[in-house]
Amino acid sequence: MTASRTRGGFATGALKVHSSPAAIAPVTRALRAAGRRVLLIPTMGALHEGHRELIRHARMTPGSTVIAVSIFVNPLQFGPSEDLSRYPRPLEADLEACREEGVELVFTPQVEDMYPDGAGADSGTTIVPGRLADQLEGTVRPGHFAGVLTVVAKLFHIIGPDVAFFGEKDYQQLILVKKMARDLDFPVHVVGVPTVREADGLALSSRNVYLSPEDRVRAATLQRALAAGASVSVRGPQAVLAAARDVLAQEPTIDVEYLELRDPDLGPVPAEGPARLLVAARLGTTRLIDNVAVRF
Ligand code: PAF
């Protein structure tokens, strides 16, 4: 079934698609007033198994719920040399995936709906994320998390979700969104959903399609390195980092940007208890990130 985009909203099967904030906001408000809990999965489209897992996870929420998926490639979170113009935008396939997963509402705004003064760095009001946003991903992608949090804050205001679901693959994003919800008193429960992986361990990402066949094979090294690190956690943080580094070093075409151990909130690594091992690396022109839980 094909679906066209309109300013108001339209239904395809049980799925309702809205492209303007003014159209979807009263719908979710009325649903909440009628006692339904609104569950939001924010995405940039190009939906894959990882997104489907977020939807399935949302579906397990008890009570009378309605699932909303937003699809918006957010220019504010892309750096000047990043892949905004070539980012995949397969809207019809995304709507089909939502339909297959039993999603009730899809929000597909245009850039001008979200950023009336344009999406330039100095165009409008933005969220200031705090110091954590300058670390890890922030060292390589300055301004990225200000863009992410600004669009997520807008989605929270427009849709008013009771619960919002984010993948653990983008772990720093998940932690920063949780922090923003707490710091700015958004009445939303932010839930992290475990990463979905290919058979060889590669974390699913919309950007995996950019990998050449050779780099696609090498990409699984990231997860092998994280697993090698996690497997020696009884020997302490230095052993974890060394084991992960050894695996990464076996693949010299992988350009590692960072490999770090942190506590689960991304503070300094603890002497004991739960921690997170995070990696970012370039393979050819593609940048990949991944992380795993570790326990000391
Ligand atoms: O993780 C993503 O796809 C994006 O960063 C998000 C949360 C949808 C904001 O644009």
Side-chain angles (χ1 to χ4, degrees):
M1 192 189 303
T2 58
S4 60
R5 190 193 285 264
T6 67
R7 300 301 304 158
F10 63 92
T12 64
L15 182 74
K16 271 222 145 226
V17 184
H18 295 277
S19 62
S20 94
I24 197 165
V27 172
T28 52
R29 206 178 307 126
L31 285 163
R32 274 196 313 281
R36 305 278 295 276
R37 299 181 77 208
V38 177
L39 313 178
L40 173 65
I41 293 127
T43 81
M44 297 207 300
L47 303 183
H48 50 62
E49 254 328 283
H51 296 107
R52 286 177 185 257
E53 183 58 25
L54 295 177
I55 297 169
R56 290 171 197 151
H57 206 90
R59 192 154 296 299
M60 293 186 311
T61 309
S64 171
T65 59
V66 58
I67 297 186
V69 169
S70 62
I71 298 176
F72 177 61
V73 181
N74 173 32
L76 222 57
Q77 69 188 74
F78 286 75
S81 60
E82 291 181 3
D83 55 348
L84 175 61
S85 59
R86 68 165 182 156
Y87 199 86
R89 291 168 170 83
L91 181 63
E92 287 298 334
D94 287 346
L95 293 180
E96 190 52 39
C98 288
R99 216 172 280 120
E100 284 168 10
E101 295 300 332
V103 170
E104 286 97 336
L105 282 175
V106 176
F107 180 44
T108 58
Q110 299 288 326
V111 172
E112 56 273 21
D113 295 315
M114 297 301 272
Y115 302 117
D117 292 331
D122 53 1
S123 308
T125 310
T126 54
I127 296 282
V128 178
R131 263 180 309 173
L132 174 56
D134 299 328
Q135 303 168 23
L136 299 165
E137 284 299 283
T139 57
V140 189
R141 308 182 71 188
H144 170 67
F145 289 117
V148 170
L149 294 191
T150 299
V151 82
V152 171
K154 287 179 69 80
L155 292 169
F156 284 178
H157 282 307
I158 294 164
I159 293 176
D162 297 283
V163 191
F165 298 83
F166 293 81
E168 286 185 352
K169 212 266 294 169
D170 295 303
Y171 192 79
Q172 190 175 6
Q173 165 175 287
L174 168 66
I175 298 303
L176 282 165
V177 170
K178 281 188 174 177
K179 220 168 107 45
M180 176 182 76
R182 186 203 63 190
D183 294 348
L184 301 185
D185 304 295
F186 282 94
V188 56
H189 179 47
V190 176
V191 172
V193 178
T195 303
V196 179
R197 298 180 181 281
E198 301 279 9
D200 65 357
L202 176 66
L204 293 197
S205 161
S206 305
R207 289 188 167 102
N208 291 353
V209 294
Y210 301 151
L211 291 165
S212 68
E214 300 75 29
D215 285 339
R216 167 62 193 84
V217 174
R218 291 180 191 121
T221 310
L222 293 195
Q223 191 272 342
R224 278 203 302 278
L226 296 177
S231 71
V232 296
S233 62
V234 283
R235 289 165 33 205
Q238 290 318 317
V240 168
L241 290 169
R245 254 186 236 118
D246 280 353
V247 174
L248 291 167
Q250 288 161 20
E251 200 53 80
T253 55
I254 294 183
D255 178 13
V256 179
E257 288 180 341
Y258 62 77
L259 173 72
E260 286 202 32
L261 265 171
R262 297 285 183 105
D263 81 4
D265 294 327
L266 299 181
V269 60
E272 55 183 56
R276 209 85 196 176
L277 178 61
L278 306 104
V279 68
R282 276 184 193 280
L283 280 91
T285 54
T286 309
R287 199 168 170 273
L288 297 176
I289 59 173
D290 202 350
N291 68 87
V292 289
V294 175
R295 177 168 277 278
F296 293 115

